Every structure is written in C-alpha cells, then in structure tokens.
Amino acid sequence: VLAAAEALHYSIDQRARALRRRKSGTLGLIVSDVGNPYFPEVIRAIEAVAYHSGHDLFLCNSDEDPDRERFYIRAMIAQRIGGIIIVPVTFTSASLALALRNDIPIVCLDRRVNDVQLDSVLVDNRAGGALAADALLDRGHRRIGAIVATRTTPGNDRLLGFKERLAERGV
C-alpha cells in the first residue's frame, strides 16, 4: 500500500482528514493590529513554534474591529481549526462564544477577557506603568499627565501601575 501511494504521488487530503477527526492541524492566530510594532516578533515566534510542531498557521488581523474578529472566528470554526490564539478586541467573550461552544481551545495573548476564564499570556504592564512613572519622577517631573488607551488590558494595567507608583512616591 505504501509503495502504491508513493508511486501515485498520493498526499493526504487535509480537508477530509479534518472532517473525519473533527479538527485540523491548523492553529488560528488573530492579532488586533499587525501594524503595531509589538506584534511582528510575536507572530514570528508563534509561527516558528507552529512550524516546528507540524501545525499550519491561519493568521488574521482584526484591525481592532469586533465584527472582523467574529468573521475570522467563524472562518476558523468552518476550517475546523485546532485552537485559537487571539489578541481580543474587547474585554468580553462575545466574539469567542461560538468557538467556546465548539470546544475550540483558546488562549488570549496580551489582553484579558473578563467575563470567562481563559488561558492568557500577558506582559506585566502594571510594572511597566510603574517603571514609566519612576523614570519621570527620577528626572524631577511632578506635574505628570498620561494619555492611555484604556479600552485594552495593556492600557488599563499600565495606567494602574503608573497611578499606584505616583501615589507611592507622594505625587
């Protein structure tokens, strides 16, 4: 059988295999903004791990748009994706509900979803905010303002760490 398969240049039909197994060897990655300089290195690292473990990677850019995020999640479900790594656009799991109902493993990257327990990989943005406050205070600044995108986990955490450090240092 193996000799015949080789002679006929047979290759596995991944779509048929995914239908039979009810999931594929493909991982989905949805980032919120591929133009953000933080994400190219993250994407490259995830792709390298996927490649070395024999997985395909389905990369999507939600562009901070919940409708695009939902569109890509539906597309991944239709492709019988094996798991999703996502930088969620919102703090809620509304976009992720369909994937969760389909028992697709989900890992949040860089941001949390507050209304459901999901595995998350986060930077210590709170500490980063504190370091930023220290840098300004150490240079003698006392009248300090902050412009922060608080609709995301990183922004909220950075602002919290920033305010806490200012308060600790009496500003």
Side-chain angles (χ1 to χ4, degrees):
V1 172
L2 292 175
E6 187 174 328
L8 295 170
H9 304 288
Y10 172 79
S11 65
I12 296 170
D13 183 333
Q14 295 295 342
R15 291 171 299 171
R17 177 185 247 181
L19 280 172
R20 188 177 49 100
R21 291 184 173 178
R22 304 183 70 74
K23 75 168 57 166
S24 70
T26 302
L27 301 175
L29 173 58
I30 305 173
V31 296
S32 57
D33 179 6
V34 293
N36 180 328
Y38 171 71
F39 290 118
E41 273 190 66
V42 171
I43 293 166
R44 187 181 185 120
I46 292 169
E47 185 278 331
V49 170
Y51 172 77
H52 288 293
S53 63
H55 291 86
D56 300 325
L57 189 65
F58 183 176
L59 173 62
C60 303
N61 174 38
S62 69
D63 207 26
E64 298 287 358
D65 180 348
D67 291 331
R68 278 179 85 160
E69 184 177 88
R70 270 189 295 282
F71 172 83
Y72 288 128
I73 289 170
R74 286 188 186 116
M76 289 178 182
I77 292 166
Q79 294 293 323
R80 304 213 185 270
I81 208 84
I84 297 173
I85 302 167
I86 186 169
V87 179
V89 172
T90 66
F91 288 114
T92 67
S93 63
S95 297
L96 302 172
L98 190 56
L100 291 168
R101 283 195 301 274
N102 281 277
D103 294 322
I104 295 173
I106 299 171
V107 174
C108 291
L109 177 64
D110 191 50
R111 301 177 182 177
R112 284 186 303 273
V113 172
N114 294 333
D115 62 342
V116 66
Q117 247 343 72
L118 292 173
D119 291 325
S120 300
V121 177
L122 303 167
V123 171
D124 190 350
N125 287 295
R126 199 166 170 175
L131 288 171
D134 283 336
L136 293 170
L137 293 169
D138 292 346
R139 287 173 179 76
H141 300 286
R142 293 294 177 259
R143 295 186 56 178
I144 301 169
I147 299 171
V148 181
T150 56
R151 65 183 183 86
T152 66
T153 303
N156 277 331
D157 290 352
R158 288 176 193 145
L159 183 59
L160 180 60
F162 190 78
K163 286 180 172 181
E164 286 173 348
R165 184 56 50 91
L166 290 176
E168 288 170 11
R169 295 195 47 187
V171 176

